[in-house]
Amino acid sequence: MTPRRSGRATVRWLAWVLAVVVFVGACTDGGTADPPVVPPPPVPTDEPVVPVEGGVLRVASGPLPLDWSPAAQVWDSSAAQVARGLYDRLVVYDANGSAVGQLVEALEPNDDFTTWTIRLRRGVLFHDGTPLDASAVAANLEAQRASVVGADLLAPVVSVSTPSSLTVEVAMSGPWSTFAETLATQVGYVASPATLVGGGALPVGTGPFRMPRADEATVATDAAQGGIVLVANDFYWQAGLPRLDAVAFPVLVDPMERVAAVIAGEADLVAADRPDQLVRLDRAARRDTVTVVEDRNAESPKVAIALNTAQAPFDRISARRAVGLATDRDEMVDDVLDGEGTLARSLISDPSPWFSDLPLPVPDGPRSRGEAATYAEEAGEPLAVELLVPPDPLLGDTARLWRRQLAEVDISVTLVPVTDAELADRLARGQYQAAITIGFVAAHPDLYEPEFRGLPGEQPLVNPNLTRYVNPVVTESFDEARATADVAAQVEAYRIVQEQLFNDVPWLFLVQLRQGVAFVPGVRDVTSWELPGGGRGLGQDGVTVALAQIWLDPTATTDTAERAGDAGRTDDPVDGAPTTPTTATSLTGGPG
């Protein structure tokens, strides 16, 4: 295969990297806030727009991991964005949200969905020049089966074999018609077998960008100022891609600093999923300083409270119903989110084709008091709750409002501050009464199956079923969805799941957050991604975007003085407000 770039192009890249200014940038369906600004349609012209090759895209990022093995740890949105440059996935989503092959040319089940055959594309090379083959994919799947990332999702897999150099067979313990959905998550990213060893080794994938070699590392480190730079993979298997010379990921810990860097033109692209970030970006968009895009049909992150059904007080349905009936979600949207979100009714977002039209959860003080009285009679003591709260300002504000709402019906709530690591550990071990989290972002309901897996009385100590809620009807519904490829039958099965959760209240789904991606003028084709086999890819996957197709328009101009003014404006109520850095922890729905 012939390299796409000449030696002159490499020199041009070095010049760009030396000039990179390193700042960082940090995700959904809005309530009463102004709508996001979307790019205007192109002006008709006789001349087709020809993408320009070259340049460095600066993606504002949060802290990044040292070990880039896809099986090492669950990626937050910053790490996932870098991974979309380094790696390709076996399966991705098209513009309609359907799972289609990326590294996979064909994915074929047997008649009862208990064996899947993965046929790989020919001619795909890792960054080190070695070919992608069945043994490499099998090594990735086996590593995921043993990892904190993929073990629960891949629990139905009983064996992985390689009948030929480009064929992998995966055998299941039972029918699994939705297996492809798992391969579109972090589980489906493919690294070289050497990268899977981990320990901070240089990551090698098949993606459009690669880590610099040792002789390039000094330049990349200087340019990134604490972040990283990926350089173009000249042997990328998709012809004509990537268009950029490099992508820099400068790191800023504070999410609002990342937003400010993009507004000031010191970074080119940022992801956002907090109300204060989106308010500021929307205002900048109205001044044409940035463009904000969001997928209103995407699965929205949800603020939710886990209720431990294996422990008092929430082992009794009366306690769970009492706190649910005292919860005012509309007040949370108004007071905590400033209207930048909507109330949540389910683990699935309202626009999803899988969503079941559940009743609106309306607070009812008298009924809440009645359920609390029932609990007190059953348990011999009044209802009181301990709520674990991680160091996220949004979750802290929501927890304090919830405590006030429950106090109005004489239910006592004690807030217990915990670190992200403590929260994850206590949830997994079931050592809590209630805990507030952000999660449930899976693109397909099947990815939630581990969250409700198990048998009554046989729950292991460390468990993906965080609430220890086991309902045979829910278990059977997930199994029925996995036993068929009939979408209508799957919709019905997931309707039953959602209705059971609504009635039994192992989780309180509170609010859905907006999430968006913002970028400066001159960044083109951010969400216009062409799939290997033709057709359009999903433009925005969570708050990550494909990087291979993005290009920089040299004709775009910006007013530096105006940008500096926007970045430092004081008419924003959130400007200058301190924020607490947080580490995103995937608690529900598996890796995205």
Side-chain angles (χ1 to χ4, degrees):
M1 183 175 292
T2 304
R4 182 174 64 85
R5 284 177 175 75
S6 64
R8 180 177 299 175
T10 301
V11 172
R12 184 183 66 199
W13 167 77
L14 290 173
W16 268 99
V17 169
L18 288 170
V20 169
V21 179
V22 182
F23 287 84
V24 191
C27 306
T28 148
D29 206 44
T32 60
D34 293 311
V37 176
V38 298
V43 177
T45 176
D46 295 332
E47 299 274 340
V49 176
V50 178
V52 176
E53 289 197 5
V56 176
L57 178 74
R58 301 163 300 174
V59 179
S61 176
L64 297 170
L66 296 176
D67 189 340
W68 282 102
S69 166
Q73 65 188 72
V74 177
W75 292 326
D76 65 9
S77 57
S78 291
Q81 184 59 81
V82 176
R84 292 197 69 176
L86 282 170
Y87 303 116
D88 295 312
R89 277 174 286 179
L90 293 169
V91 169
V92 293
Y93 290 109
D94 66 14
N96 297 317
S98 298
V100 296
Q102 186 177 34
L103 292 176
V104 168
E105 190 166 62
L107 185 61
E108 303 162 345
N110 63 353
D111 290 342
D112 62 359
F113 306 106
T114 56
T115 300
W116 284 80
T117 300
I118 301 171
R119 305 189 192 281
L120 301 173
R121 296 186 185 278
R122 296 180 179 274
V124 179
L125 300 177
F126 284 108
H127 297 152
D128 60 6
T130 58
L132 172 75
D133 59 14
S135 62
V137 171
N140 276 264
L141 291 175
E142 293 290 14
Q144 291 287 4
R145 290 179 68 197
S147 76
V148 295
V149 178
D152 295 322
L153 286 173
L154 294 176
V157 174
V158 295
S159 68
V160 180
S161 58
T162 55
S164 73
S165 62
L166 291 175
T167 305
V168 180
E169 282 192 357
V170 184
M172 318 296 182
S173 58
W176 195 2
S177 63
T178 50
F179 174 57
E181 305 293 336
T182 300
L183 301 183
T185 71
Q186 185 176 332
V187 168
Y189 281 85
V190 177
S192 72
T195 299
L196 299 174
V197 175
L202 192 71
V204 175
T206 65
F209 297 91
R210 61 175 175 81
M211 286 287 192
R213 298 183 301 271
D215 60 338
E216 300 168 314
T218 300
V219 174
T221 302
D222 291 346
Q225 298 181 10
I228 64 172
V229 169
L230 303 182
V231 300
N233 174 12
D234 290 339
F235 296 94
Y236 191 50
W237 54 279
Q238 280 194 259
L241 299 178
R243 291 166 175 161
L244 297 163
D245 287 325
V247 183
F249 296 89
V251 171
L252 290 174
V253 175
D254 189 327
M256 287 303 291
E257 288 186 36
R258 301 198 286 270
V259 166
V262 171
I263 293 174
E266 295 162 341
D268 302 314
L269 186 146
V270 65
D273 66 352
R274 292 297 190 270
D276 51 358
Q277 292 175 295
L278 288 157
V279 165
R280 190 161 183 193
L281 287 169
D282 284 345
R283 291 179 178 175
R286 289 194 292 273
R287 298 188 290 268
D288 296 324
T289 305
V290 300
T291 295
V292 180
V293 294
E294 65 183 89
D295 184 353
R296 290 182 176 271
N297 295 318
E299 197 59 43
S300 305
K302 298 163 193 70
V303 177
I305 294 176
L307 304 178
N308 188 347
T309 66
Q311 222 181 76
F314 295 120
D315 55 347
R316 298 181 185 272
I317 186 68
S318 56
R320 303 197 299 273
R321 288 175 176 166
V323 297
L325 288 166
T327 301
D328 188 338
R329 293 161 176 82
D330 285 327
E331 186 179 22
M332 292 175 176
V333 171
D334 293 339
D335 289 7
V336 179
L337 302 188
D338 294 325
E340 296 289 321
T342 56
L343 63 81
R345 292 187 275 174
S346 168
L347 76 174
I348 300 171
S349 297
D350 294 19
S352 170
W354 306 108
F355 177 75
S356 179
D357 192 14
L358 300 165
L360 286 172
V362 178
D364 188 328
R367 287 182 60 201
S368 175
R369 290 178 184 274
E371 293 287 357
T374 299
Y375 172 83
E377 183 178 349
E378 294 170 343
E381 60 183 8
L383 177 57
V385 181
E386 286 188 354
L387 177 68
L388 303 186
V389 185
D392 182 315
L394 175 66
L395 295 182
D397 290 344
T398 307
R400 285 186 287 273
L401 177 55
W402 192 62
R403 177 177 61 184
R404 180 174 64 75
Q405 291 176 350
L406 267 61
E408 293 176 359
V409 293
D410 299 322
I411 299 174
S412 171
V413 176
T414 301
L415 305 184
V416 181
V418 292
T419 66
D420 288 312
E422 289 170 335
L423 177 67
D425 180 70
R426 292 182 64 172
L427 281 167
R429 296 179 182 276
Q431 297 175 349
Y432 73 100
Q433 291 183 357
I436 189 166
T437 74
I438 297 178
F440 292 97
V441 294
H444 193 282
D446 180 74
L447 300 172
Y448 295 130
E449 186 273 342
E451 179 59 43
F452 304 101
R453 183 183 295 161
L455 296 172
E458 297 183 18
Q459 295 285 354
L461 176 62
V462 178
N463 197 332
N465 185 340
L466 305 182
T467 63
R468 274 46 178 184
Y469 167 76
V470 177
N471 182 328
V473 174
V474 171
T475 302
E476 182 180 348
S477 296
F478 276 115
D479 289 344
E480 288 177 353
R482 289 185 167 188
T484 179
D486 184 331
V487 173
Q490 292 176 344
V491 167
E492 174 61 15
Y494 298 136
R495 180 193 65 78
I496 294 172
V497 169
Q498 292 172 80
E499 290 184 354
Q500 290 294 315
L501 298 182
F502 185 87
N503 293 328
D504 294 343
V505 207
W507 284 89
L508 282 179
F509 301 105
L510 303 178
V511 293
Q512 299 175 157
L513 304 178
R514 283 183 60 201
Q515 57 182 3
V517 175
F519 48 92
V520 301
V523 179
R524 306 297 190 207
D525 288 351
V526 173
T527 59
S528 180
W529 175 36
E530 185 174 342
L531 295 169
R536 295 284 297 276
L538 184 65
Q540 187 180 319
D541 194 344
V543 283
T544 68
V545 295
L547 296 172
Q549 80 289 344
I550 293 178
W551 58 282
L552 302 178
D553 185 350
T555 66
T557 59
T558 57
D559 187 323
T560 304
E562 183 179 348
R563 280 190 172 281
D566 283 346
R569 290 179 70 95
T570 58
D571 60 344
D572 245 340
V574 296
D575 281 354
T579 59
T580 301
T582 62
T583 302
T585 304
S586 177
L587 301 173
T588 52

